[in-house]
Amino acid sequence: MEATSKQSGGGGKALALLGLTSIHKAYLEENASLHCTMCGIWALFGSDDCLSVQCLSAMKIAHRGPDAFRFENVNGYTNCCFGFHRLAVVDQLFGMQPIRVKKYPYLWLCYNGEIYNHRKLQRHFAFEYQTKVDGEIILHLYNKGGIEQTASLLDGVFAFILLDTANKKVFLGRDTYGVRPLFRAMTEDGFLAVCSEAKGHYEVLDLKPNGKVASVEMVKYHHCRDEPLHALYDSVEKLSPGLVNLKHSTAPFLKVEPFLPGHYEVLDLKPNGKVASVEMVKYHHCRDEPLHALYDSVEKLSPGFEIETVKSNLRILFDNAIRKRLMTDRRIGCLLSGGLDSSLVAATLMRQLKEAQVQYPFQTFAIGMEDSPDLLAARKVANHIGSEHHEVLFNSEEGIQALDEVIFSLETYDITTVRASVGMYLISKYIRKNTDSVVIFSGEGSDELTQGYIYFHKAPSPEQAQEESERLLKELYLFDVLRADRTTAAHGLELRVPFLDHRFCSYYLSLPPDMRIPKNGIEKHLLRETFEDSNLLPKEILWRPKEAFSDGITSVKNSWFRILQEHIEHQVDDAMMAAAAQKFPFNTPKTKEGYYYRQIFERHYPGRADWLTHYWMPRWINATDPSARTLTHYKSDTKA
C-alpha cells in the first residue's frame, strides 16, 4: 500500500502525546475521566478443566487491547475466571479489569465500551466513586436499582459481564445496536464461556482422566503474535480455535452464538461455579426514547413536525452525539470516504475540536485505488474543513490477498460485508502503523437509520420503508457494525459511531414515515436538507449520490466488484457451484463469490455457518447479489 499525507490547515507534526489547553483539560476532566475504550473481555464459569491452561485462549483477542492484560480467578469459585485485554488510556492501575471497589467487594465487572453519561449519573445520584473509570457507574447503578435500571440508564456502547457473589448472580448485557461485540457458549450442565469475539477462546488441551492429553486439530492463523503461545507448552502439538471448538465433558461441540443487542441476561450462580439461565430481557428498542434521556443535558427540543423544527432538533442531537463521544484523551481521527455520512461526522468533529482548542492536528483517512471517486471527494472535504488528510492507495493484488485475514477477523462470510471490509481493514492497518490516532470516528449506521440504501427508492410505501429501516438497525450487529468493529479492532483501534446515538436515533425514528423517505430521486433527503445552510460541507458533497462501496474506492477504469469477480472466476468452477447445496446446505451460496468466501470461512470456523442467519440483500427487487450496481436507479462514475 502507498500513502500520502496532506495537511490542509493549522497542523504541525503529529504528536505522540496530546497537547491540551487548559480549556480542553477541563473539558476532559468533566466528560472523560478514564474509560475502558475498545478492549477484549473474556470469562469462564464452571469450567471442569485447568483454568491456567484455558486462560491462554484469551490471548486470541489480544488485538482488542494490545497495551495490557490480566487474568483473575473469582474468590471462592476456583473454576471461574475473568480475562481482560486493555487499550490503555491514562491510569494504569484503575484502568485494569475486572473492576472491583471496596464498597461492593462482592461485585466483579468486566466490560468493553464507553459510558458517556457516567459523570451525569454520578452527580445525580450522589455516587461516591473510588476510581476514575466510567464503568464504575455500572456497579453503583446495579447496587441501587438492579440490572434492568442499570442497562436502561447507560448512554453508550458496551458489552459487560457482571458477577454478584453475594446474591449468586451473573449478568450479561449489550448495547442497543451491538456496537460492542459479545459471544456466549453454554452447556446444559451450566458451563458458561463469554468473550468479545468467537475466536477468543482456545481449548488447548483435552484432558483425559489419566492426566494425559489428546492433540486437537490445528487451524492456521496469520497473526505472528500467536506463535509464542505454541512454544510455551511443548506437550501441545496442535491448537484449535476456542469458543468455536471449546470442549466440555458433556458437550463436545458447543453452540456459540452472538449475544443479542439491546438485551441483558440473568443467570443463577451455583455453589459449584456453574450457572443456570433465568431470563433474557430486551431492555430497549431503537424507536423508544431511552430512559437516560431524563438525565442528560441536551437542550430542550422544540415540539411538532414542522420541517424547520425537525431540522433544528436533528442538528442539536447530532452535535450532541459527537460531542459526548469526545470522551478520550487519546488522539482522535476520522474515516472519510467523501460520502455524506462520514463527511458530516468529520466536519462536525473538526468544528468541535477547534472549540475545545485541541492542539494536535485532526487527522482524516481515505482509502481507494488511484483516481477513485471516494479519494477525490474525501480530498475535497478535507480541504474544506482543514484536516491533516491521509490517502491510502491499494491495488487489486493487495485487496485479494487481504481476503483471508479479513474473513478471519470478521467471523462472517456475508458477501457485501466481506467486500466492504477489505478497504476498512487496510486503512485501519495503515492508521495503526503510521499514526498515533487511536479513537476513530466513522459514519456507520446512517444508511440504516436515514434510509440511505438505494433500494429504498423501491419501497412500496413510507410505512414499509420505516419497517425496513428498523429491521436493518436491529440486524446491524450481523453486518455493518460487525464490519466496523472487527476491521478496526483487529489493529487495536477504537471506533465511534455517532449516527447510532440513542437519542438521535429514537428522535429520527419518531418522525412521520413520509418525512424520512427518499425525495426528488435523492436518498437521505431529510438529512441533507438539515445541514444545507450550515456551511459544514461543500454543496456537491452534501448532495453527492450514494456510491456503492465497490465503486467508490476503486479506479474509474475497474471496480472492486469486477476485480473480485475476475479473480474468483479462476477459483470456483461450475462443478463446485453445482454441488454447493450439498456441501453447504445452510445458507447455500448462490454465486461464485459467495462460495469463495464460504470456503475461507469454513476453513477458519468449520461448522459455524449459523453465525450468519441470512445474507444481506436489498428488498423489493429480485436480487442474487447485494451490490447497489444491480439496481436500475443506481448511477456511478465508475459503472461500465
Side-chain angles (χ1 to χ4, degrees), residues 104-134:
Y104 313 120
Y106 47 88
L107 296 183
W108 305 62
L109 173 68
C110 251
Y111 81 107
N112 170 21
E114 302 86 43
I115 312 301
Y116 305 122
N117 63 342
H118 74 108
R119 283 297 184 199
K120 292 183 177 64
L121 293 174
Q122 179 194 11
R123 289 193 296 268
H124 180 83
F125 293 111
F127 293 144
E128 295 182 8
Y129 268 29
Q130 293 181 224
T131 74
K132 297 179 181 180
V133 181
D134 62 329

Side-chain angles (χ1 to χ4, degrees), residues 156-176:
V157 294
F158 55 84
F160 66 76
I161 309 162
L162 176 62
L163 170 64
D164 180 348
T165 56
N167 293 293
K168 306 296 188 296
K169 296 288 184 183
V170 176
F171 304 96
L172 307 180
R174 193 175 181 190
D175 66 78
T176 301

Side-chain angles (χ1 to χ4, degrees), residues 167-229:
N167 293 293
K168 306 296 188 296
K169 296 288 184 183
V170 176
F171 304 96
L172 307 180
R174 193 175 181 190
D175 66 78
T176 301
Y177 300 106
V179 174
R180 293 292 177 259
L182 192 66
F183 282 81
R184 72 189 285 281
M186 187 172 170
T187 64
E188 291 185 358
D189 72 333
F191 168 64
L192 174 67
V194 187
C195 192
S196 292
E197 298 181 15
K199 67 177 69 67
H201 289 287
Y202 270 73
E203 172 58 9
V204 183
L205 296 176
D206 186 9
L207 298 179
K208 302 293 184 180
N210 61 5
K212 296 183 179 180
V213 301
S215 172
V216 290
E217 180 184 5
M218 178 181 183
V219 174
K220 182 179 179 181
Y221 293 102
H222 300 283
H223 298 283
C224 60
R225 62 177 171 268
D226 297 337
E227 182 73 20
L229 295 182

Side-chain angles (χ1 to χ4, degrees), residues 7 60 111 138 192 248 254 256 267 288 324 338 435 457 463 477 484 538 570 577 609 618 637:
Q7 189 168 311
K60 286 300 156 186
Y111 81 107
I138 296 175
L192 174 67
H248 186 70
L254 288 179
V256 179
L267 303 104
D288 298 332
K324 72 176 68 170
T435 80
H457 289 280
E463 289 71 27
Y477 76 105
H570 299 290
M577 288 303 300
D637 291 337

